[in-house]
Amino acid sequence: MGVSTDPVKVVLAGATGHGRHHLDDLRRLAATGLVEPAGICDVRPVQLDVEFGGGPLPQSADLGELVAATGAEITIVCTPIHTHADLAVTALRAGSHVLLEKPPAASPEAHARIAAAVAETGLACQVGFQSLGSRAVPALRELMASGALGRVRGIGGAGAWERPASYFTRSSWAGRRRLHGADVVDGALTNPFAHAVATALALVDGPIEAVETELYHAHPIEADDTSCLRVRIAGGPVITIAVSLCATGRSEPYLVVHGEAARARLTYTLDELRVERADGSVETTVHERDGLLENLVAHIRTGAELLVPLSRTETFTQVLDAVRLAPEPLPIAERHQVVERDGGGAVTHRYLPGIAELTARSAAELALYSELGAPWTEVELQVAGAPVAAYEWRPDLPVTDSPRPYLHPVRTLGGVTVTEVRPDDHVHHLGAGVAIADLGGANFWGGRTYVKGRGPAWLDDHGRQRHVAFTRLADDGFTEELEWIGPGDRLIARERRTVTARPVGDAWALDLAFTLTNLTGSPLEVNSSATKGRPGAGYGGFFWRAPGASTGRVTFPGDEEAVHGSRGRWVAMAGTGPDGRDWTLVFVQASDDPWFVRVAEYPGVGQALAWDRPLVVEDTLSRRVVTVVADGRLDGPSVSALAATVEATIVETANGETAIRERT
């Protein structure tokens, strides 16, 4: 039996928006006799602005009914992302092959539903990653496999486009992560720049080991408009992709394959492959691209191999799922943007200065935005527009410091620095933060560990606090998720840390609350050097290291001997900085832990969770300390009055987050 030459009947589901491109493609291929447009499926009547030889096309909101009535062999699904799985399965079970617009599905579960229908029906599902129809992709794979590029250490991708504010209001699902309870995942990485991700994945083999994401948005949307990720492939090169829809103008997105002998750049929208060799020679080739609809027709008629079968996009859906499950994208403060408005004051565009260059640096260095120091990834707290504290959430520290995030520099409103990091006397003191000498047998304080009957000793017991995500990030504070990891990568606890900066009279207050959740499956002990035999060394919990160069240090409500080990709601410390300017810190706790205070040896104040006996954590441990940061050297009565005011105005919100309210 010969191969049929009759046109293949095609119905289009979703004929508005991007569907117009498919209508143009159908008109072009109909003129060649390859396809016959057979119908339109849409929830609303579609006014066609293209002509088809057979007259008006049948239209229906019921895809299964339309496929059955027209005898369509192919259904193009170009509808909102969260509808892809239902419509693809409907078309397959109605007897039609499918050309499915990217991304194929909004979750692995939805992807699996389509795959099951493909297996059940024996029909084809081609996914609309047009870039994978480019012959530049197999040409680049061959270069990599042949060794012409040398050992490949990574693939970097970059894309920066301009999109008006109206782009994110073009439909009910635009810029959404979910809609009416359904996953949408319409972010920059998973929709407009999905081709960058899919094409990079098509260049490598091997399963995905891990995906790191950094998701941000400048526009007031749910999803990300500026984001990056890193994909680690088992036994393969690392992949980074950095993209944004907040550029001025459009630059063509591209991938760079970093080889030890040569570097290859694929501008996938132009099918252009440029190879730069170590000897300085450059070779540029432009490749042909095969249309995905034509390829699907050839598959149906002659058994030609599909260019982008659904199975080839499984790793893309894994990456999409990492984006779907990632913490909500963080807003980029307007102070980092250039905002354009129309005559009526409505925002028309939001630009991120230098974003195209930043995405290019990411591709060149295989680095994420935070690693490149993008200003909107830096955590800087502000009070009344003045920067008062920086937060180092990815510290580069030796293991013996028990690496952990910390606040430094913290400054008064007048600009006096009141924290210190890695001082000579105790290099493991890190500004203001949370540290515990012994949590479940791991040293999360840094330095030597006190051993009963032996004294301080260097042990291989240091843990680290690993930043997982910010679930809130704003100029006035943040909420952060962390993991406390012991030696041998033993996961001991999870922490939720909330930090807020607010004005308090002529000063400001840093409100730090943390909740540790025990992940060991058994009671978790908090110990200190004191519980092991060193009296008075019960330090552990919130800790603030003040500058050691400060002079004239004093404490309130008494001297060091009086306040060290006291259980009052507050203690205070004052001093004079090296520049001659005075400062005062007032610490107010929501619990009744003993205070650990040092003045003469060095200036430091913190909690003593395990003052003289171990503290056992069954499930969770929550603590909160509010620190007033003031200019000048306050006297005893002034400190006492300020502490009383702060203590009276500490409130617990319904969800466990904390805040300070000024008296009105």
Side-chain angles (χ1 to χ4, degrees), residues 121 239 267 282 301 355 361 399 449 459 494 522 564 574 593:
T121 62
I239 296 171
T267 306
V282 177
R301 290 290 187 254
I355 190 61
R361 281 186 60 203
V399 66
T449 298
L459 304 178
R494 181 183 302 112
S522 59
H564 182 62
D593 296 303

Side-chain angles (χ1 to χ4, degrees), residues 185-208:
V185 206
D186 181 42
L189 283 164
T190 52
N191 195 1
F193 289 108
H195 288 91
V197 178
T199 307
L201 291 169
L203 296 175
V204 299
D205 299 311
I208 292 176

Side-chain angles (χ1 to χ4, degrees), residues 228 387 407 461 475 505 513 519 568 607 615:
C228 58
L407 289 146
D461 64 345
D475 287 345
L519 300 179
Q607 294 170 302
L615 172 67

Side-chain angles (χ1 to χ4, degrees), residues 337-565:
Q337 307 178 29
V338 174
V339 181
E340 288 189 357
R341 302 177 186 271
D342 62 20
V347 173
T348 60
H349 292 82
R350 293 180 182 271
Y351 302 116
L352 294 177
I355 190 61
E357 293 77 11
L358 189 66
T359 61
R361 281 186 60 203
S362 171
E365 300 177 32
L366 301 174
L368 303 181
Y369 288 143
S370 64
E371 297 164 347
L372 296 172
W376 27 268
T377 67
E378 302 294 329
V379 181
E380 182 181 70
L381 307 186
Q382 297 197 348
V383 172
V388 293
Y391 188 63
E392 179 55 67
W393 56 278
R394 295 173 67 104
D396 183 13
L397 296 167
V399 66
T400 52
D401 282 1
S402 296
R404 57 196 183 273
Y406 58 86
L407 289 146
H408 177 77
V410 180
R411 296 177 291 271
T412 67
L413 291 177
V416 179
T417 297
V418 291
T419 52
E420 187 170 21
V421 165
R422 306 199 82 234
D424 290 341
D425 54 74
H426 292 79
V427 295
H428 49 277
H429 285 185
L430 304 175
V434 183
I436 295 177
D438 183 334
L439 181 68
N443 179 344
F444 288 98
W445 182 269
R448 292 178 294 177
T449 298
Y450 193 87
V451 180
K452 189 172 184 177
R454 178 181 171 191
W458 287 108
L459 304 178
D460 293 328
D461 64 345
H462 293 88
R464 69 186 191 277
Q465 296 172 20
R466 187 181 75 86
H467 166 89
V468 175
F470 289 111
T471 57
R472 175 183 177 269
L473 180 59
D475 287 345
D476 68 343
F478 58 85
T479 300
E480 180 186 23
E481 303 290 336
L482 304 102
E483 292 177 339
W484 290 51
I485 303 170
D489 289 332
R490 179 169 61 103
L491 185 57
I492 294 175
R494 181 183 302 112
E495 180 193 350
R496 188 177 195 229
R497 183 176 302 180
T498 302
V499 175
T500 307
R502 299 184 186 278
V504 175
D506 295 331
W508 70 279
L510 181 76
D511 186 344
L512 190 153
F514 67 92
T515 296
L516 282 175
T517 299
N518 178 6
L519 300 179
T520 65
S522 59
L524 180 62
E525 277 197 2
V526 176
N527 276 285
S528 66
S529 297
T531 66
K532 301 174 183 178
R534 183 183 173 193
Y539 50 80
F542 167 85
F543 182 71
W544 188 298
R545 171 61 195 247
S550 296
T551 59
R553 303 191 293 257
V554 296
T555 57
F556 303 94
D559 60 15
E560 179 176 354
E561 184 177 354
V563 296
H564 182 62

Side-chain angles (χ1 to χ4, degrees), residues 106-199:
S107 69
E109 293 75 18
H111 188 113
R113 286 180 54 215
I114 304 170
V118 169
E120 170 192 324
T121 62
L123 298 172
C125 179
Q126 174 118 287
V127 180
F129 285 115
Q130 298 98 324
S131 60
L132 300 187
S134 174
R135 299 182 187 179
V137 174
L140 180 51
R141 278 185 61 95
E142 174 57 29
L143 279 174
M144 295 168 65
S146 69
L149 304 181
R151 188 182 69 86
V152 174
R153 65 183 182 89
I155 301 171
W161 289 346
E162 177 183 329
R163 288 291 185 267
S166 59
Y167 174 82
F168 301 100
T169 58
R170 70 191 189 277
S171 66
S172 62
W173 56 273
R176 301 292 295 268
R177 280 169 69 83
R178 59 194 65 84
L179 181 65
H180 305 313
D183 292 315
V184 176
V185 206
D186 181 42
L189 283 164
T190 52
N191 195 1
F193 289 108
H195 288 91
V197 178
T199 307

